[in-house]
Amino acid sequence: MSRIATSIELFQQGNKYIPGGVNSPVRAFKSVGGSPLFMKSGKGAYLHDEDGNAYIDMINSWGPMILGHAHPSIQEAVKTAVDEGLSFGTPGRREVEMAELIVEMVPSIEKVRMVNSGTEATMSAVRLARGYTGKEKIIKFEGCYHGHGDSFLIAAGSGAATMGVPDSPGVTVGTARDTLTAVYNDLKSVERLLEENRGKIAAIIVEPVGGNMGCVPPESGFLEGLRTYCDRENIVLIFDEVMTGFRLSPGGAQELYGVSPDLTTLGKIIGGGMPVGAYGGKKEIMSLVSPEGPVYQAGTLSGNPVAMAAGLAMLRELKSDELFYDRLAEMTGKIVKGLGEMLDDSNIPHQINQVGSMYSLFFTGEKVIDFSTAKRADTRRFGMYFHGMLEEGIYLPPSQFESVFVSGAIGNEEVEKILQASAKALKK
Ligand SMILES: *Cc1c(COP(=O)(O)O)cnc(C)c1O
């Protein structure tokens, strides 16, 4: 019998009732092949599947579990909140505490609105930027992901066309027309779009560290350049920090790189494992959000007390430990260094990109700086490495184009296991 028999069985059952058997596509293992694992519990650095196998978790729920699984102070805060009732549909004390804490930790945010996911945050931020500037088009970057809002599921038009085209059935040509796509780390491509659409761009939205084409850091001057263009042309600069917020530093990528956006979108870590997102920024812009201003945005369960309890406990933990981010980056550095030495001794083409506790191993000999260079990586080899690691009890993101997220629960013992597993998996 297969050692993952229960997962296989559940996946077959799930496929009968759920599209593709999953509630979010990347979980289905499509790009690496095989049957996805059904996880039952997590504790610290480890996940346990339905068949009782244990894995060192290197996804951590795609970021949120930065302290590892079932962290005591977060579990405790949630239990307390649950005992008080699940939802009231009224304002609550925790929402005010949460907003205050976010404003304190992320200096560019003066006012903030809570929502229920990263997708909601980016959708709302773009609407707000349009309402504020009175302009309609936005610029995004190829390979960046901003959730599944219609305005973001847009591919670059071909040839000289600067208009976008729908990247999913169901997205209208009308919507696609308003999203322009530039090349990550390429300011010239942005300048071209600005010239061709003078006076029409409401916002530039960017992942300040690319995390959804694998980990791709901003080159020096890139974020600063975007800031300059936005200042010059009255464009709202949106940093989508759904992934990088509270991950790369207490104040996110904007603190790390010293570039301040007008609006920031947050998600993932901010909910401590519960479904939470947020968008915030300059008072002048945020004051346009309803009911203070005319830009409509609402949510029945937004600021939910249980979700706020988890998020608050998470952010308080992160804020209270000044050396946390240095330790996390150092631990990640040990993995990256070990992998690098191993691969340098092999004849396998490779590039490793790392920023803090995010890293990606790309199977390509070329430097990865944008989506085209990322796409030239050998995804078949990645699939082999992924499955090799899984057999050794290491759970990597099931795609070449996702970043690894190291948690604070990973210690020297786990790093050793990850490197030993890699040595075996890379020989296959
Ligand atoms: C995950 C992610 C989103 C979407 O967040 P959801 O909570 O999945 O809707 C948006 N932007 C970035 C940068 C992300 O990594």
Side-chain angles (χ1 to χ4, degrees), residues 117-120 122 145-148 207 212 240 242-243 268:
S117 69
T119 294
E120 259 189 82
T122 55
Y145 178 69
H146 304 295
H148 64 89
E207 287 181 66
N212 285 288
D240 181 355
V242 169
M243 189 179 274
K268 299 195 169 113

Side-chain angles (χ1 to χ4, degrees), residues 9-23 38:
E9 161 75 20
L10 283 168
F11 190 49
Q12 282 165 355
Q13 278 301 104
N15 264 294
K16 290 187 197 160
Y17 310 110
I18 305 170
V22 292
N23 281 311
F38 281 62

Side-chain angles (χ1 to χ4, degrees), residues 10-167:
L10 283 168
F11 190 49
Q12 282 165 355
Q13 278 301 104
N15 264 294
K16 290 187 197 160
Y17 310 110
I18 305 170
V22 292
N23 281 311
S24 198
V26 73
R27 297 178 195 168
F29 278 23
K30 278 219 155 169
S31 71
V32 289
S35 192
L37 297 175
F38 281 62
M39 295 301 173
K40 188 175 178 185
S41 66
K43 181 74 197 157
Y46 291 84
L47 280 176
H48 301 273
D49 70 11
E50 289 280 353
D51 290 284
N53 303 300
Y55 305 86
I56 295 176
D57 188 12
M58 302 189 75
I59 309 180
N60 286 290
S61 190
W62 303 95
M65 313 319 289
I66 190 169
L67 298 175
H69 294 279
H71 189 276
S73 56
I74 298 171
Q75 299 291 111
E76 202 48 52
V78 168
K79 283 174 190 164
T80 304
V82 165
D83 283 344
E84 292 169 3
L86 298 186
S87 178
F88 311 119
T90 70
R93 168 183 297 276
R94 289 189 185 90
E95 292 165 81
V96 180
E97 292 173 358
M98 184 72 161
E100 255 186 312
L101 189 54
I102 293 168
V103 167
E104 203 184 318
M105 290 175 81
V106 188
S108 75
I109 299 183
E110 295 172 338
K111 275 191 178 180
V112 62
R113 169 59 62 83
M114 304 308 302
V115 292
N116 304 287
S117 69
T119 294
E120 259 189 82
T122 55
M123 270 170 37
S124 310
V126 162
R127 182 184 307 134
L128 177 58
R130 287 175 167 148
Y132 175 73
T133 58
K135 298 184 279 184
E136 298 201 342
K137 291 186 191 292
I138 61 166
I139 294 177
K140 74 167 183 67
F141 293 87
E142 196 185 20
C144 283
Y145 178 69
H146 304 295
H148 64 89
D150 282 10
S151 298
F152 306 115
L153 298 180
I154 310 291
S158 58
T162 64
M163 279 183 331
V165 294
D167 203 20

Side-chain angles (χ1 to χ4, degrees), residues 178-232:
D178 289 330
T179 299
L180 312 174
T181 306
V183 178
Y184 200 78
N185 276 325
D186 180 356
L187 287 173
K188 285 226 167 62
S189 72
V190 180
E191 236 168 286
R192 218 170 300 129
L193 291 175
L194 291 175
E195 265 164 37
E196 288 161 4
N197 298 274
R198 195 100 308 134
K200 294 185 183 150
I201 310 292
I204 296 179
I205 185 166
V206 67
E207 287 181 66
V209 172
N212 285 288
M213 46 185 154
C215 175
V216 178
E219 296 201 316
S220 130
F222 177 59
L223 299 174
E224 291 85 348
L226 297 180
R227 182 66 273 173
T228 304
Y229 294 153
C230 287
D231 287 339
R232 195 179 70 197

Side-chain angles (χ1 to χ4, degrees), residues 309-331:
L312 268 174
M314 170 64 86
L315 298 192
R316 281 175 180 151
E317 281 292 327
L318 294 175
K319 189 167 164 268
S320 69
D321 183 353
E322 272 173 30
L323 297 175
F324 176 75
Y325 289 98
D326 291 340
R327 279 202 313 272
L328 200 56
E330 194 187 308
M331 212 42 98

